[in-house]
Amino acid sequence: MKYAKSNLTRGYANKILTIDLHTGAIDAKVLDSRARDYFIGGRALGLYLLYRRINPNTSPYAPENPLIFSPGPLAGVPNFPGTSKCMALSLSPHTGIPGVSNFGGHFGAHMKFAGFDVIEITGKSEKDVFIVIDGFKNEVTIIEAPKIEHVFELEKFIADKFTQEGYDKKNMAFVTTGIGATNTTYGCINSHYYDPTKTADGQKGFFRTKQAGRTGLGSVMVDKKIRSVIVMAEYPHGENPYGAADWEKAKRAGSKLSKVVREVDPVSLKMHRKGSAGLISFMNKENYRSLPVKNYQYGSDPRAEQISGKFYADNLFDHGGMDGCYPGCSLKCTKGGWVTLSAGDQKGTKVWVDGPEYETACGFGSNLGIWNAEAVMEANWHCDNFGIDTITAAVIIGFLMECFQRDYLSKEDADGLALTWGDDKAMLHFLHQISNGETECAREAGKGMISLVDWVSERYMKRTGLGNPEKKLRKFAMQVKGLPFSLYRTHRSLSMQASYAAASDIGAHHAAAWLIKVDLLGAFPTLQDRARALVTYPRVRLGNDNLGLCKLPWVDVFNPESEKVKDTDKYINPASQEMYAEFYNGMLGTDLTWEKIYEQTDRDINLQRVMNAIIFGRNTGEKDWVPDRAIGPTDDDLYDAEKNFHDSEISKILGKPLEYVEKMQAKEKRTILMNHRKDQLQKLIHAYYHERGWNENGVPKVETLKQVGLWDFLNKETQTKITEMNS
Ligand code: SF4
């Protein structure tokens, strides 16, 4: 299909590309300006398009479930740090509710440069296909693709094919997935972009990847038989290339934030050397104990330094070239390095690994009791190559390792493979089994945590003849709404417990409300402060997902000027927020404060909640809860492992001296502690609902939806259901 392309205007291409893989119909429509102006872009616009495509009975693998890519109006502007982001959205095969995942690289920018704000793909193809969006010829085609099931082999095929056809690698950006996405519900989408600065085999330049890991969107992609979506485009030129309302203002904001990043990062977190893995040492601190160790049982370990950001920076990361995942990002945190594979068909081969980022480093490291940084990097590579989410795979393996530890599983249940803490060879072997769907245990692990608990329970009952252990297993099966936890142990952060439970509507992920760090630093003294933070932080975090912005130059670079801002939460980094507002206003021609800009996120947060409520029903709030393991010690030994800390909390709860508490039995103390913490969490969740304008069951009130202007975007059926849920 040929299409007409116009210049970017205020960051928008003003076109949506729709593709029906069943009929082969391709259409380039003008973006509805009413929806664009209300939802703005990225995640919000994608959610709205998803909402319009599905109904309460749509299955994630139904042809009508769309796969959507949506960057946002500020994406792809290299004059401001961190404009790399694009959102992938679909009904999640992993959780059954709307799935959302952001990813970096050049794909979102290229989409816009090729002429599209959104790509929406429905239907299923009969054959494996490539969708090729050619921004040079202004043409979209669907072509037959080879069935290449390993991502890096596919990457090479695509790069070779299109360079032979005359395209320059720097003008290509594409997304792929692999065989793991077919055999699990948690396939990831890899975003490939060309880095001309890195050296391999004495030659400059190779493709690198970022991932949309969460909620199984790669599994939707492969189910539609899409092997890759490839976009060819080049940067727009001219005096005002991105169509800014005030280009000088937008550029000025970018220079200011770049300066802050360049001055602050080298003397603070050093993301440019350690990447996000630098966070491991912070979470591991004795007084925080927030690093998940052995399936979140423990919160710190002296061996964590062997998998820390410093270790990677000093020993494994390659610091040559530039590590920004998009031009203009002065934070340059996308680290990577070389490892020699010890498992799989390519054993003995030296490969480039993008990562590990913090989550993957903990997931395959501390949380499995593995203190071998190279094994972690290798696991990262295999997950990317198979196309599965590192976080989900790692946390599911952590659950199974604990099942082995507690004798709920035996070697026979896993076809002779013992999954024990610290066994990196078994971990790598099992990753292969999951991705290839090789054994019953691996296939069950590929379905997800909720059904895995049932399977382990059945095996246990069959093997031992004992009662159903399901309730005990659920205490340490680390998931919310079916989505395994990202890698934060939340015992010491009530805000983060509530974030996972209620503020993240995709399940247990930190994208919406990553409050743990500032909570540990003491930012929220009262329950009401915490409830408020569960509203204000997601506005900014998910607001960035709507705009096409990376959060890290904001959240991981504390602007010293923020210390001076009066009457506000300094931890939200208000001095840098001013620069984001200047950029936004410069691009879009508005005159809004940063608070007003991000308040707009309430629209899509409410929409997502409405979509969940339609699926879960009027008691949607019952899904807003975390397993016991996320709240505190689940057995007496775990209580005693942090006895002093726990005893002092009990002393405060009971109003009794420490000497009195020390004489009590661990079992009694643990019951008091857990009941108290659960009560606090329940109170916080209800205070959060109240702040949001939701009813006591977590359903948005009609008046709230009207107040944020969302009501008019909902169809009659939804309006009726929400009204009934509030009656
Ligand atoms: S901060 Fe890191 S992840 Fe974000 S855009 Fe920059 S390089 Fe990419």
Side-chain angles (χ1 to χ4, degrees):
M1 186 231 22
K2 285 271 189 190
Y3 62 92
K5 185 168 67 184
S6 32
N7 292 338
L8 292 173
T9 308
R10 303 192 174 197
Y12 290 103
N14 278 313
K15 276 218 171 61
I16 167 169
L17 174 65
T18 58
I19 298 170
D20 183 335
L21 289 170
H22 178 65
T23 62
I26 307 173
D27 199 4
K29 291 188 212 133
V30 172
L31 194 62
D32 167 11
S33 58
R34 179 172 164 259
R36 177 200 65 198
D37 293 346
Y38 183 75
F39 290 104
I40 301 171
R43 174 184 170 279
L45 189 57
L47 274 171
Y48 178 60
L49 295 170
L50 177 63
Y51 167 73
R52 294 202 341 173
R53 287 278 182 185
I54 60 173
N55 64 52
N57 303 316
T58 306
S59 139
Y61 289 131
E64 60 267 30
N65 180 30
L67 177 62
I68 295 168
F69 296 101
S70 177
L74 306 187
V77 181
N79 306 69
F80 192 87
T83 60
S84 66
K85 294 294 176 178
C86 182
M87 305 299 292
L89 304 99
S90 191
L91 198 53
S92 163
H94 191 63
T95 60
I97 53 177
V100 187
S101 194
N102 80 27
F103 60 96
H106 300 188
F107 188 81
H110 271 56
M111 269 177 62
K112 286 172 52 176
F113 303 163
F116 300 105
D117 298 299
V118 183
I119 304 172
E120 191 187 27
I121 309 165
T122 54
K124 291 188 191 190
S125 170
E126 282 174 12
K127 294 178 179 158
D128 290 300
V129 292
F130 289 151
I131 295 170
V132 184
I133 300 161
D134 189 327
F136 294 96
K137 296 179 187 158
N138 296 343
E139 185 175 26
V140 181
T141 48
I142 302 170
I143 58 174
E144 204 169 325
K147 199 179 184 67
I148 298 175
E149 293 180 322
H150 293 125
V151 163
F152 295 114
E153 191 185 339
L154 182 59
E155 176 187 87
K156 184 174 180 330
F157 178 90
I158 292 169
D160 289 350
K161 173 179 166 56
F162 289 99
T163 38
Q164 276 160 21
E165 289 180 18
Y167 295 94
D168 196 325
K169 285 179 186 163
K170 74 175 185 338
N171 295 327
M172 292 179 205
F174 50 96
V175 289
T176 65
T177 189
I179 190 172
T182 309
N183 289 320
T184 69
T185 57
Y186 42 91
C188 81
I189 294 177
N190 288 278
S191 156
H192 304 251
Y193 64 99
Y194 187 65
D195 179 346
T197 68
K198 286 274 175 201
T199 305
D201 300 329
Q203 297 221 321
K204 272 221 161 151
F206 55 85
F207 277 92
R208 301 186 62 183
T209 57
K210 298 288 276 185
Q211 285 74 29
R214 307 252 54 200
T215 71
L217 304 180
S219 297
V220 176
M221 182 170 161
V222 82
D223 183 60
K224 293 186 180 301
K225 289 205 164 20
I226 306 167
R227 288 279 148 203
S228 181
V229 183
I230 302 147
V231 190
M232 310 293 181
E234 63 180 346
Y235 289 89
H237 303 293
E239 285 186 1
N240 185 5
Y242 308 94
D246 183 341
W247 185 220
E248 291 309 315
K249 186 174 182 173
K251 282 195 292 185
R252 200 163 53 237
S255 305
K256 286 184 198 168
L257 186 63
S258 249
K259 183 167 178 285
V260 173
V261 170
R262 281 197 313 272
E263 288 176 1
V264 173
D265 185 57
V267 292
S268 56
L269 298 182
K270 300 186 178 63
M271 301 275 289
H272 70 289
R273 278 190 58 79
K274 301 177 187 175
S276 57
L279 192 58
I280 287 180
S281 303
F282 177 88
M283 292 297 158
N284 189 49
K285 283 185 180 174
E286 179 58 29
N287 49 336
Y288 297 155
R289 296 213 184 199
S290 297
L291 182 79
V293 178
K294 296 188 178 174
N295 197 30
Y296 304 79
Q297 292 183 83
Y298 309 98
S300 71
D301 191 292
R303 291 165 290 182
E305 286 313 309
Q306 296 166 34
I307 55 157
S308 67
K310 184 171 185 325
F311 185 89
Y312 282 107
D314 292 348
N315 299 286
L316 289 161
F317 285 160
D318 175 339
H319 299 291
M322 292 273 285
D323 283 318
C325 77
Y326 191 69
C329 186
S330 39
L331 194 51
K332 298 181 232 160
C333 78
T334 303
K335 305 304 293 183
W338 298 90
V339 290
T340 302
L341 298 178
S342 68
D345 293 347
Q346 296 184 61
K347 187 174 170 176
T349 310
K350 199 171 164 192
V351 294
W352 171 265
V353 185
D354 273 303
E357 296 186 19
Y358 166 82
E359 306 287 338
T360 307
C362 297
F364 288 114
S366 59
N367 204 37
L368 303 184
I370 290 173
W371 310 104
N372 174 351
E374 285 187 62
V376 171
M377 281 181 91
E378 179 169 355
N380 192 151
W381 186 87
H382 287 300
C383 286
D384 296 347
N385 192 39
F386 286 131
I388 58 171
D389 177 30
T390 55
I391 298 176
T392 304
V395 174
I396 282 179
I397 294 174
F399 168 73
L400 289 173
M401 284 187 171
E402 185 164 348
C403 288
F404 270 87
Q405 175 200 322
R406 295 181 186 274
D407 289 330
Y408 290 116
L409 273 180
S410 72
K411 235 170 136 176
E412 289 66 43
D413 295 317
D415 280 41
L417 182 71
L419 287 166
T420 47
W421 302 121
D423 188 343
D424 51 67
K425 285 187 181 54
M427 175 272 285
L428 291 170
H429 190 57
F430 194 61
L431 267 185
H432 282 71
Q433 291 185 336
I434 292 176
S435 301
N436 294 318
E438 277 169 17
T439 65
E440 186 184 342
C441 180
R443 284 190 291 278
E444 292 299 327
K447 291 179 188 166
M449 193 73 95
I450 290 179
S451 62
L452 187 58
V453 167
D454 295 336
W455 181 78
V456 173
S457 301
E458 275 164 33
R459 296 291 297 207
Y460 174 80
M461 287 190 285
K462 213 167 166 184
R463 177 166 57 87
T464 62
L466 298 172
N468 192 340
E470 186 212 321
K471 276 195 183 143
K472 288 177 189 158
L473 296 183
R474 290 212 185 280
K475 289 183 181 178
F476 63 85
M478 301 302 285
Q479 59 78 32
V480 175
K481 303 179 180 81
L483 188 73
F485 272 56
S486 57
L487 278 299
Y488 299 98
R489 184 184 189 249
T490 52
H491 290 199
R492 301 196 183 193
S493 172
L494 180 62
S495 309
M496 198 65 205
Q497 291 170 25
S499 162
Y500 278 139
S504 170
D505 260 332
I506 59 167
H509 193 55
H510 56 280
W514 185 67
L515 297 180
I516 189 162
K517 188 175 176 189
V518 285
D519 201 16
L520 291 169
L521 291 171
F524 315 123
T526 69
L527 195 90
Q528 205 47 47
D529 292 331
R530 291 183 163 126
R532 189 82 204 122
L534 286 164
V535 172
T536 53
Y537 282 75
R539 280 180 179 161
V540 180
R541 295 182 65 83
L542 299 178
N544 282 332
D545 285 348
N546 295 343
L547 299 173
L549 296 177
C550 177
K551 302 168 191 76
L552 304 187
W554 155 64
V555 75
D556 282 328
V557 184
F558 184 72
N559 188 332
E561 292 299 311
S562 289
E563 287 284 2
K564 300 177 194 159
V565 181
K566 298 275 177 259
D567 304 324
T568 188
D569 170 11
K570 73 171 182 180
Y571 294 100
I572 210 160
N573 208 359
S576 285
Q577 298 284 21
E578 298 289 347
M579 297 165 195
Y580 281 84
E582 192 176 354
F583 180 47
Y584 179 101
N585 289 326
M587 287 298 297
L588 296 181
T590 46
D591 187 21
L592 299 171
T593 62
W594 67 265
E595 290 94 336
K596 285 285 170 211
I597 290 167
Y598 289 120
E599 258 176 44
Q600 299 174 111
T601 319
D602 287 349
R603 301 165 183 175
D604 45 280
I605 290 172
N606 276 287
L607 174 61
Q608 194 172 10
R609 191 67 178 190
V610 164
M611 292 167 83
N612 278 8
I614 295 294
I615 291 168
F616 291 141
R618 66 161 58 233
N619 293 324
T620 188
E622 287 176 4
K623 303 283 180 186
D624 292 345
W625 197 248
V626 290
D628 279 12
R629 173 64 54 77
I631 296 171
T634 46
D635 66 32
D636 297 345
D637 288 343
L638 292 175
Y639 182 98
D640 285 337
E642 290 165 67
K643 186 173 177 299
N644 292 346
F645 181 80
H646 292 146
D647 278 1
S648 96
E649 193 173 334
I650 298 279
S651 162
K652 282 186 209 135
I653 294 167
L654 297 179
K656 302 269 187 197
L658 206 50
E659 302 76 52
Y660 174 90
V661 174
E662 280 165 354
K663 289 184 195 128
M664 293 167 68
Q665 296 293 311
K667 187 176 170 47
E668 186 191 355
K669 291 189 284 189
R670 191 165 63 81
T671 305
I672 293 167
L673 182 73
M674 290 300 280
N675 286 344
H676 173 77
R677 288 189 184 176
K678 285 179 187 177
D679 179 57
Q680 290 293 300
L681 179 57
Q682 195 62 260
K683 285 189 175 124
L684 178 54
I685 290 172
H686 279 103
Y688 166 66
Y689 291 166
H690 184 74
E691 279 289 330
R692 277 244 163 265
W694 297 351
N695 72 18
E696 68 281 7
N697 294 323
V699 178
K701 292 180 183 169
V702 173
E703 71 229 40
T704 304
L705 300 177
K706 287 185 174 167
Q707 197 188 334
V708 299
L710 183 64
W711 191 250
D712 293 341
F713 285 89
L714 302 178
N715 61 37
K716 281 277 166 284
E717 193 189 345
T718 305
Q719 289 180 349
T720 306
K721 283 198 168 153
I722 293 294
T723 306
E724 279 169 12
M725 287 183 203
N726 275 293
S727 63

